[in-house]
């Protein structure tokens, strides 16, 4: 019996607290191994369908597109579990599996409703991964993460509801949607939030670096890649994606040059790499889509490797900023080598994984005559060499000696990094025997190791390295600074605070004024009039009568007190009441 | 790191090796001027010897200068900016 792999993770996560020590590690490793076994047994088709409220929902749709994502998601979970196995608390492990299970659920969902449920669970899992760090910064980041993703989720939900309303309740299968209605635009935007499109990208660079050392390895794998899957499934061939992707590939590299926190540099790098994938989806040819899928696969391994190596440095030194690091190669040689392999892979050095994947997208941009997009992607490739290829390993392990002497990374981290490094090399050296066999779309054979391609790429890489070296020696490279760089999250972190303060001051002032004038002023006057008014009227009317009658001031004061007392107690003599009634009637009669 | 220290011996060796490697690969690119080698270029400029290298060098330098002189003055804030 094949089990839905997402439930292996989600249900399996519930039992993690029951185990302790090595038994817990063994159990957590068993889960992805068991899921992978199920993946291997999973043949293409639709499984685990069920019906709720007349909707036919599908938990597992196994086809080449979902299977390649499933494959790498399970492998990434396995590696992340090894990397994280030193963590004692169960909450982080549970959150990791909740998150991974949700990611798997997203790529296997056969309909929009199931898809949406797992999509939202992804957000919950990621927020937990941020919360488990238990620092004020990580809690704040978790809240902002939730804020952005709940808004994105609502937009997506509105789109799905509209889509179902417009197309009929029977048509909820998650297939090609296309940009042709309000509903489709809302769904498109909902996917875009998780994908990290420009302007709505800042949740990535704001929150990921606040995660735990191991949590970020999970986070780098699922949310954005699940969004890439969603775009691939729903909006392949949409030209808008080409330009969105080109923008994503370009703008983060400027930020990455001046960013001080290496984990934040990698977060910008992540947007840059997802940009390449989005361009491939936008081009929409089978080869371009294969390029995007292949790049997702390779990116999860090499970006994971880079996050793990910087995480190992953070774990050992407690630091992740360029200004505080440097010269760690001697202390952490294995981590440094792994980091260099990750850097070479992301830079698309021949025989490393990125070379076999990114070039497919570039080639398709060229052959479909997207001249500007091709030039932009080539520029972005040089930018990748700068921030991920050189900056990360250089500032962490070489550069100036920070004087920090630490132990090499723990054995579990070294195993996890080693596995990822082997994956990067295997894909880079044997793409035809490894990754290319998993590609989802029928496309002409892509020859990656041509002399022209190798020489062209070597030219690009070597001249970029030369530019870096000359700029450094000439003193033109931006100095590392203990500073942050504001991004579009400034609008809800700082400007939002100002809006709050303006609202606080204006609306609360209005509230205070209203309280003073109405509640304390007007209502008090009405109350006073209701309690004291009749007595004063009586006294006003009776004073001339008492004066004529010859009562002196003392007697008049005594009479006034009697009237006040009688009115307070409601004990007016009938005669006076009758007189007053006559008086009022007379007034009414004459006027 | 932008302080202009005199380059160390290691730095000189690395830069020297890089320059040699760049020249070698640049010269190798001239192979494609021969009819025996084909770049399968889509754009005309891909056939220019060293195009990828020169484009990479120039855009890399532009990227660094734009980040340093345009972006950083606009976006740099103190680390406590959001605290």
């Amino acid at each position: 019996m094949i089990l839905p792999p997402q439930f292996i993770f989600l249900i399996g996560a519930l039992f993690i607290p029951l185990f302790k020590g090595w038994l817990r590690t063994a159990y957590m490793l068993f889960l992805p191994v068991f899921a992978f076994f199920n993946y291997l047994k999973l043949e293409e088709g639709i499984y685990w369908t069920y019906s709720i409220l007349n909707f036919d929902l599908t938990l597992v749709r196994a086809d080449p597109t979902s299977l390649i994502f499933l494959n790498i998601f399970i492998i990434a979970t396995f590696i992340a579990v090894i990397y994280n196995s030193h963590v004692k608390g169960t909450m982080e492990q549970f959150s990791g599996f909740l998150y991974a299970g949700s990611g798997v659920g997203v790529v296997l969902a056969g309909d929009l409703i199931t898809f949406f449920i797992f999509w939202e669970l992804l957000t919950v899992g990621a927020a937990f991964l941020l919360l488990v760090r238990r620092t004020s910064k990580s809690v704040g980041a978790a809240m902002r993460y939730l804020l952005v993703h709940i808004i994105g989720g609502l937009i997506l939900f509105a789109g799905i509801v509209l889509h179902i309303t417009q197309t009929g309740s029977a048509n909820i299968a998650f297939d090609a949607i296309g940009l042709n209605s309000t509903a489709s635009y809302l769904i498109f935007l909902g996917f875009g939030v998780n994908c990290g499109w420009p302007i709505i990208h800042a949740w990535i660079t704001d929150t990921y670096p606040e995660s735990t050392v191991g949590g970020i390895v999970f986070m780098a794998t699922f949310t954005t890649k699940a969004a890439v899957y969603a775009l691939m499934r729903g909006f392949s061939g949409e030209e808008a994606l080409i330009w969105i992707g080109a923008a994503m590939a370009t703008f983060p590299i400027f930020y990455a040059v001046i960013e001080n926190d290496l984990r934040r540099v990698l977060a910008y790098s992540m947007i840059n790499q997802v940009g390449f994938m989005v361009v491939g989806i936008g081009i929409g040819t089978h080869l371009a889509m294969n390029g995007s899928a292949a790049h997702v696969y390779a990116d999860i391994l090499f970006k994971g490797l880079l996050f793990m190596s910087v995480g190992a440095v953070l774990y050992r030194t407690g630091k992740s900023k360029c200004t505080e690091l440097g010269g760690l190669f001697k202390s952490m040689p294995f981590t440094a080598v792994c980091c260099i392999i990750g850097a070479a892979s992301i830079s698309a050095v021949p025989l490393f994984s990125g070379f076999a994947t990114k070039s497919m997208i570039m080639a398709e941009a060229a052959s479909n005559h997207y001249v500007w997009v091709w030039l932009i992607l080539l520029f972005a490739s040089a930018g990748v060499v700068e921030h991920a290829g050189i900056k990360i390993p250089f500032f962490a392990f070489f550069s100036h000696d920070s004087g920090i002497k630490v132990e090499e990374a723990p054995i579990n981290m070294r195993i996890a990094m080693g596995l990822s490094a082997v994956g990067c090399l295997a894909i880079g050296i044997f793409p035809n025997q490894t990754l290319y066999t998993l590609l989802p779309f029928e496309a002409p054979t892509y020859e990656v190791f041509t002399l022209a391609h190798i020489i062209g790429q070597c030219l690009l890489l070597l001249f970029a390295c030369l530019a870096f070296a000359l700029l450094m020696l000439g003193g033109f490279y931006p100095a590392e600074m203990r500073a942050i760089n504001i991004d579009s999250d400034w609008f809800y972190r700082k400007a939002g605070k100002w809006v709050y303060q303006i609202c606080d001051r204006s609306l609360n002032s209005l509230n205070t004024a209203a309280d003073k004038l109405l509640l304390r002023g007007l209502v008090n006057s009405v109350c006073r009039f209701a309690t004291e008014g009749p007595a004063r009227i009586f006294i006003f009317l009776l004073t001339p009568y008492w004066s004529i009658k010859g009562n002196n001031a003392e007697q008049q004061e005594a009479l006034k007190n009697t009237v006040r007392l009688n009115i307070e107690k409601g004990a007016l003599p009938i005669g006076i009441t009758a007189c007053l009634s006559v008086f009022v009637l007379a007034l009414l009669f004459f006027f | 790191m932008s302080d202009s220290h005199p380059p160390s011996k290691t730095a000189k060796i690395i830069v020297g090796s890089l320059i040699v490697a760049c020249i070698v690969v640049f010269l190798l690119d001239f192979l494609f001027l021969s009819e025996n080698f084909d770049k399968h270029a889509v754009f005309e400029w891909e056939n220019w010897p060293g195009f990828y290298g020169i484009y990479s060098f120039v855009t890399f330098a532009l990227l660094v200068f734009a980040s340093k002189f345009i972006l950083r003055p606009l976006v740099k804030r103190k680390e406590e900016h959001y605290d």
Side-chain angles (χ1 to χ4, degrees):
Chain A
M1 183 69 179
I2 306 294
L3 290 171
Q6 63 268 51
F7 284 104
I8 295 174
F9 286 168
L10 293 173
I11 297 173
L14 299 173
F15 296 98
I16 292 172
L18 299 181
F19 299 94
K20 278 187 177 174
W22 67 268
L23 210 58
R24 180 190 291 165
T25 306
Y27 172 71
M28 289 192 305
L29 287 173
F30 164 76
L31 292 176
V33 170
F34 184 51
F36 200 78
F37 172 77
N38 276 272
Y39 155 77
L40 292 175
K41 294 281 177 194
L42 196 60
E43 290 179 4
E44 287 182 28
I46 303 284
Y47 306 96
W48 294 77
T49 56
Y50 56 103
S51 189
I52 293 177
L53 300 171
N54 293 330
F55 290 120
D56 294 324
L57 308 182
T58 305
L59 273 178
V60 176
R61 171 182 41 190
D63 66 4
T65 311
S66 57
L67 285 176
I68 186 174
F69 280 83
L70 176 62
N71 177 306
I72 189 59
F73 278 7
I74 295 173
I75 290 173
T77 307
F78 181 71
I79 292 171
V81 166
I82 296 174
Y83 186 79
N84 239 4
S85 58
H86 63 282
V87 174
K88 297 277 187 285
T90 51
M91 195 58 198
E92 189 167 343
Q93 315 285 16
F94 171 82
S95 308
F97 274 101
L98 171 66
Y99 188 50
S102 313
V104 169
V106 165
V107 298
L108 287 179
D111 63 89
L112 287 167
I113 293 174
T114 310
F115 170 85
F116 180 74
I117 292 167
F118 285 111
W119 183 267
E120 288 304 294
L121 265 181
L122 260 180
T123 299
V124 177
F128 273 127
L129 278 174
L130 286 165
L131 287 170
V132 291
R133 199 175 179 191
R134 294 189 179 91
T135 62
S136 61
K137 281 192 172 181
S138 73
V139 171
M143 291 304 127
R144 292 193 296 278
Y145 187 94
L146 281 173
L147 173 87
V148 172
H149 286 273
I150 285 172
I151 292 171
L154 284 174
I155 293 170
L156 176 63
F157 187 64
I160 290 173
V161 170
L162 267 178
H163 180 74
I164 293 172
T165 313
Q166 287 167 356
T167 55
S169 62
N171 187 13
I172 58 163
F174 182 24
D175 289 317
I177 297 168
L179 278 176
N180 47 27
S181 62
T182 310
S184 62
Y185 276 101
L186 288 171
I187 294 173
F188 192 58
L189 184 59
F191 291 170
V193 171
N194 276 25
C195 195
W197 286 356
I199 301 172
I200 46 177
H201 68 277
W203 61 269
I204 296 176
T205 51
D206 168 24
T207 62
Y208 278 23
E210 302 303 339
S211 176
T212 57
V213 166
I216 202 166
V217 181
F218 277 104
M219 293 181 80
T221 302
F222 294 104
T223 302
T224 50
K225 308 307 181 296
V228 168
Y229 167 83
L231 288 171
M232 191 177 275
R233 183 70 79 181
F235 296 99
S236 65
E238 289 298 339
E239 192 163 347
L241 286 176
I242 298 176
W243 297 102
I244 292 170
M248 288 176 76
T250 316
F251 86 87
I253 61 179
F254 290 91
Y255 268 99
V257 174
I258 53 173
E259 178 57 52
N260 190 29
D261 187 333
L262 290 178
R263 297 212 299 174
R264 193 155 278 125
V265 171
L266 285 174
Y268 277 113
S269 174
M270 207 162 94
I271 302 169
N272 157 273
Q273 293 300 305
V274 173
F276 281 90
M277 299 162 203
V278 171
V279 169
I281 297 167
I283 294 169
T285 61
H286 279 190
L287 189 54
M289 300 267 280
N290 275 348
S292 294
H295 203 49
V296 167
Y297 200 102
D299 181 76
I300 287 175
L301 287 174
F302 61 62
K303 191 56 58 56
L305 181 53
L306 287 167
F307 270 120
M308 283 192 281
S309 51
V310 173
V313 169
L314 175 64
Y315 180 76
R316 281 301 191 211
T317 66
K319 302 171 197 302
S320 64
K321 291 177 180 166
C322 298
T323 42
E324 299 167 338
L325 293 171
L328 285 171
F329 183 80
K330 285 176 190 167
S331 304
M332 305 178 79
F334 184 86
T335 307
V337 169
C338 287
C339 183
I340 291 167
I341 292 173
S345 300
I346 195 173
S347 304
V349 174
L351 301 180
F352 292 84
S353 58
F355 182 72
T357 57
K358 198 196 295 179
S359 56
M360 292 165 88
I361 300 165
M362 297 284 293
E364 277 303 276
S367 61
N368 286 279
H369 300 285
Y370 289 106
V371 182
W372 284 107
V373 173
W374 185 80
L375 286 170
I376 288 169
L377 293 185
L378 203 59
F379 166 54
S381 301
V384 174
V385 179
E386 190 283 325
H387 69 259
I390 302 171
K391 183 170 179 172
I392 297 284
F394 182 76
F395 284 109
F397 299 102
F398 304 99
S399 186
H400 51 82
D401 191 349
S402 59
I404 302 170
K405 298 284 176 281
V406 287
E407 281 181 61
E408 178 56 275
I411 184 71
N412 61 306
M413 289 188 175
R414 276 182 275 162
I415 292 171
M417 289 189 285
L419 284 174
S420 285
V422 168
C424 291
L425 287 167
I427 292 169
I429 300 169
F430 308 109
N432 290 312
Q433 291 79 21
T434 54
L435 180 54
Y436 287 1
T437 60
L438 298 171
L439 296 181
F441 302 101
E442 291 288 334
T445 312
Y446 178 70
E447 282 295 329
V448 63
F449 293 119
T450 64
L451 187 63
H453 185 200
I454 293 170
I455 289 181
Q457 189 63 17
C458 286
L459 272 171
L460 186 132
L461 295 166
L462 285 169
F463 276 80
C465 291
L466 182 65
F468 176 80
L470 295 180
L471 289 167
M472 282 292 281
L473 289 177
F476 295 110
Y477 194 81
E480 315 105 89
M481 286 182 180
R482 292 184 60 87
I484 62 156
N485 303 302
I486 54 168
D487 201 336
S488 58
D489 56 333
W490 180 88
F491 288 100
Y492 51 83
R493 294 181 71 182
K494 207 73 178 177
K497 208 179 265 182
W498 291 342
V499 170
Y500 174 82
Q501 281 172 354
I502 290 167
C503 289
D504 174 39
R505 284 182 189 169
S506 58
L507 296 178
N508 280 339
S509 302
L510 192 67
N511 187 32
T512 312
D515 179 63
K516 199 174 174 185
L517 279 172
L518 298 175
L519 279 178
R520 292 169 205 277
L522 188 66
V523 173
N524 267 359
S525 303
V526 169
C527 283
R528 210 165 48 241
F529 179 76
T531 51
E532 296 174 12
R536 288 184 176 216
I537 291 169
F538 272 114
I539 290 165
F540 176 74
L541 293 173
L542 290 172
T543 304
Y545 168 72
W546 288 328
S547 301
I548 293 165
K549 204 177 163 188
N551 291 332
N552 60 24
E554 273 182 23
Q555 286 171 326
Q556 282 191 27
E557 200 53 43
L559 285 165
K560 281 177 188 175
N561 287 335
T562 310
V563 169
R564 280 195 199 102
L565 206 63
N566 284 339
I567 287 176
E568 264 178 37
K569 290 179 178 173
L572 287 171
I574 291 171
I576 294 175
T577 311
C579 283
L580 274 172
S581 303
V582 170
F583 178 70
V584 171
L585 284 172
L587 283 175
L588 286 173
F589 180 78
F590 289 110
F591 299 101
Chain B
M1 282 304 295
S2 65
D3 310 348
S4 300
H5 304 297
S8 65
K9 195 178 173 187
T10 319
K12 280 181 184 169
I13 293 170
I14 290 170
V15 175
S17 314
L18 256 179
I19 292 171
V20 171
C22 286
I23 293 169
V24 170
V25 182
F26 188 84
L27 291 175
L28 277 176
D29 209 27
F30 278 87
L31 281 177
F32 293 98
L33 293 178
S34 147
E35 286 180 358
N36 297 326
F37 296 94
D38 187 4
K39 271 192 178 174
H40 304 289
V42 177
F43 306 116
E44 177 56 34
W45 53 75
E46 284 184 87
N47 287 318
W48 302 344
F51 164 76
Y52 283 95
I54 294 162
Y55 186 85
S56 164
F57 188 90
V58 172
T59 53
F60 192 104
L62 285 177
L63 165 68
V64 169
F65 284 124
S67 303
K68 183 178 180 178
F69 295 114
I70 301 172
L71 186 64
R72 179 171 264 180
L74 288 173
V75 300
K76 194 184 91 174
R77 297 290 185 277
K78 286 180 183 170
E79 281 185 317
E80 303 77 27
H81 183 68
Y82 288 120
D83 295 341

